[in-house]
């Protein structure tokens, strides 16, 4: 028969010194242990509730600040791209478009590269090279965003202006749809440049988390696959990825949250133009960049409220993205069992 586990308090009393072996001392020790346990429960509960309180306060403050703009413009605030502080006509479509497009470009580049780098570090990389590459990836994650912005404006954007962007214009010019995506003069700065900078910033997060979950795969599973004659790619595809897909998905969503909310680096290189263009080479703007550029110069309640409304929209977008990610993780966990 299975032995019943002894309560923690009984174990503590059993291991207590002989000085507390008398009934009054045992009762005193029992009361102290109960007080400590109750205090611990209260502190942890208060910490958990404080998160909800802070989140609720943020939501209430954003709604209260955005209400004048939403009442003044209604749904037109979401469907128009005009942004004229002089006439107090504001629309959020251009920042929303720039936020989604730059994040999409960043994740399209960062996710496959990050997973491949993590695969190389865990399966193929020599032992003497793993630590230097791992340290380099962690250093990329620790660089402040304003440093990325300065580097992007003075180094990366001129490089793209003279090399990559003219090549893309010449290459895709005859192609009907792609000619629209890569049309116009090579400014250097623009939506594509911002997306590439975001990809570099997101890459360390995807790579680090993917590497950690890949290393957590039981070696016996990989050894069994190799014993059946599988190649490294087959082991990675059929063993490592299915086992670690929950963690990889979490890393991707963490990177996406970083891309959606990035401010300073994007502000330096996107061009800060309130318009929607079919070309990825054209200047644009994002929600975070608009708020960072104009909040200190906002004159009038309607102007300030419009910027707060942009913050509310970004909060909703992030919340929806994270909710979808959580739902995907729940479905994956349910399938795994």
């Amino acid at each position: 028969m299975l032995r019943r586990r002894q309560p923690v308090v009984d174990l503590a009393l059993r291991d207590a010194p002989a000085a507390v072996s008398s009934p009054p001392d045992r009762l005193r020790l029992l009361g102290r242990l109960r007080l400590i346990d109750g205090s611990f429960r209260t502190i942890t509960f208060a910490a958990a509730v404080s998160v909800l309180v802070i989140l609720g306060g943020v939501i209430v403050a954003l709604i209260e600040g955005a209400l004048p703009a939403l009442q003044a413009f209604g749904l037109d605030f979401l469907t128009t791209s005009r942004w004229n502080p002089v006439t107090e006509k504001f629309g959020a479509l251009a920042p929303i478009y720039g936020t989604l497009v730059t994040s999409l470009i960043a994740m399209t580049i960062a996710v496959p590269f990050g997973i491949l780098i993590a695969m190389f570090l865990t399966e193929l990389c020599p032992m003497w090279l793993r630590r230097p590459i791992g340290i380099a990836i962690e250093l990329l994650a620790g660089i402040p965003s304003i440093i990325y912005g300065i580097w992007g404006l003075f180094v990366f954007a001129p490089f793209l202006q003279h090399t990559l962007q003219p090549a893309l214009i010449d290459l895709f010019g005859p192609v009907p749809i792609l000619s629209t995506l890569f049309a116009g003069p090579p400014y250097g700065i623009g939506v594509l440049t911002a997306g590439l900078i975001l990809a570099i910033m997101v890459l360390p997060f995807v790579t680090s988390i993917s590497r950690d979950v890949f290393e957590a795969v039981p070696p016996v599973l990989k050894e069994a696959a190799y014993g059946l004659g599988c190649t490294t790619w087959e082991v990675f595809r059929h063993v490592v990825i299915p086992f670690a897909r929950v963690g990889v998905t979490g890393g991707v969503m963490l990177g996406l949250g970083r891309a959606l909310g990035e401010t300073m680096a994007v502000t330096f290189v996107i061009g800060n133009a309130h318009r929607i263009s079919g070309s990825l080479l054209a200047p644009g703007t994002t929600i975070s960049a608009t708020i960072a550029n104009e909040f200190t110069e906002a004159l009038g309640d309607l102007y300030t409220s419009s910027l707060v409304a942009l913050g509310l929209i970004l909060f909703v977008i992030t919340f929806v993205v994270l909710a979808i990610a959580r739902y995907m993780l729940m479905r994956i966990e349910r399938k795994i069992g």
Side-chain angles (χ1 to χ4, degrees):
M1 294 179 62
L2 296 175
R3 297 179 59 185
R4 184 173 63 87
R5 296 179 61 185
Q6 290 182 284
V8 176
V9 175
D10 293 344
L11 294 175
L13 291 175
R14 186 192 67 183
D15 298 335
V20 296
S21 59
S22 60
D25 293 333
R26 291 173 63 89
L27 291 176
R28 193 178 303 111
L29 177 61
L30 181 61
R32 187 178 66 182
L33 293 175
R34 287 177 176 173
L35 178 62
I36 294 174
D37 186 65
S39 301
F40 177 73
R41 289 175 179 270
T42 302
I43 293 173
T44 54
F45 178 77
V49 172
S50 65
V51 175
L52 299 178
V53 173
I54 294 173
L55 180 62
V58 171
I59 295 174
V60 171
L62 288 176
I63 294 177
E64 182 179 1
L67 200 58
L70 298 179
Q71 290 177 343
F73 304 114
L75 291 179
D76 289 342
F77 187 75
L78 300 175
T79 58
T80 58
S81 59
R82 60 189 177 187
W83 191 271
N84 193 338
V86 177
T87 60
E88 292 192 331
K89 300 295 182 180
F90 302 102
L93 187 59
I96 294 174
Y97 170 81
T99 301
L100 297 178
V101 172
T102 53
S103 300
L104 179 62
I105 294 173
M107 300 311 296
T108 302
I109 298 173
V111 170
F113 274 92
I115 293 177
L116 290 176
I117 294 172
M119 174 188 174
F120 174 76
L121 291 176
T122 55
E123 302 294 332
L124 302 173
C125 183
M127 294 300 298
W128 62 271
L129 192 58
R130 290 187 180 183
R131 183 175 296 273
I133 296 179
I135 293 175
I137 292 173
E138 293 172 358
L139 288 177
L140 283 177
I143 296 176
S145 60
I146 193 170
I147 303 300
Y148 279 108
I150 295 174
W151 173 78
L153 179 62
F154 293 105
V155 178
F156 194 57
F159 171 77
L160 294 180
Q161 183 181 16
H162 295 96
T163 57
L164 180 62
Q165 291 186 356
L168 292 175
I169 294 173
D170 296 337
L171 179 62
F172 298 112
V175 183
I177 298 178
L178 296 179
S179 62
T180 304
L181 291 177
F182 301 100
Y187 294 106
I189 59 175
V191 175
L192 179 62
T193 306
L196 294 176
I197 292 291
L198 285 178
I200 298 174
M201 299 179 66
V202 168
L203 182 64
F205 295 92
V206 179
T207 302
S208 298
I209 296 177
S210 300
R211 180 193 58 186
D212 292 340
V213 296
F214 289 166
E215 290 178 346
V217 177
V220 65
L221 297 180
K222 295 187 286 186
E223 292 172 359
Y226 283 122
L228 293 175
C230 295
T231 63
T232 303
W233 164 247
E234 291 172 336
V235 171
F236 181 76
R237 178 182 177 185
H238 298 292
V239 177
V240 177
I241 286 293
F243 188 90
R245 54 187 173 184
V246 175
V248 173
T249 304
V252 170
M253 291 302 109
L254 178 63
L256 179 57
R258 173 70 187 274
L260 288 171
E262 178 54 40
T263 304
M264 295 309 301
V266 175
T267 304
F268 274 86
V269 299
I270 198 171
N272 302 307
H274 283 275
R275 64 173 182 265
I276 298 176
S277 175
S279 175
L280 299 178
L281 307 181
T285 189
T286 64
I287 294 176
S288 300
T290 301
I291 296 174
N293 278 325
E294 304 186 22
F295 200 85
T296 56
E297 301 175 359
L299 300 177
D301 295 336
L302 192 59
Y303 193 1
T304 304
S305 178
S306 299
L307 294 174
V308 177
L310 287 179
L312 177 62
I313 294 171
L314 181 60
F315 179 87
V316 172
I317 292 174
T318 306
F319 179 81
V320 171
V321 169
L322 295 180
I324 294 174
R326 184 58 186 170
Y327 176 73
M328 292 172 57
L329 292 177
M330 290 176 59
R331 287 181 60 88
I332 293 175
E333 292 174 355
R334 191 179 298 116
K335 289 182 180 179
I336 296 176

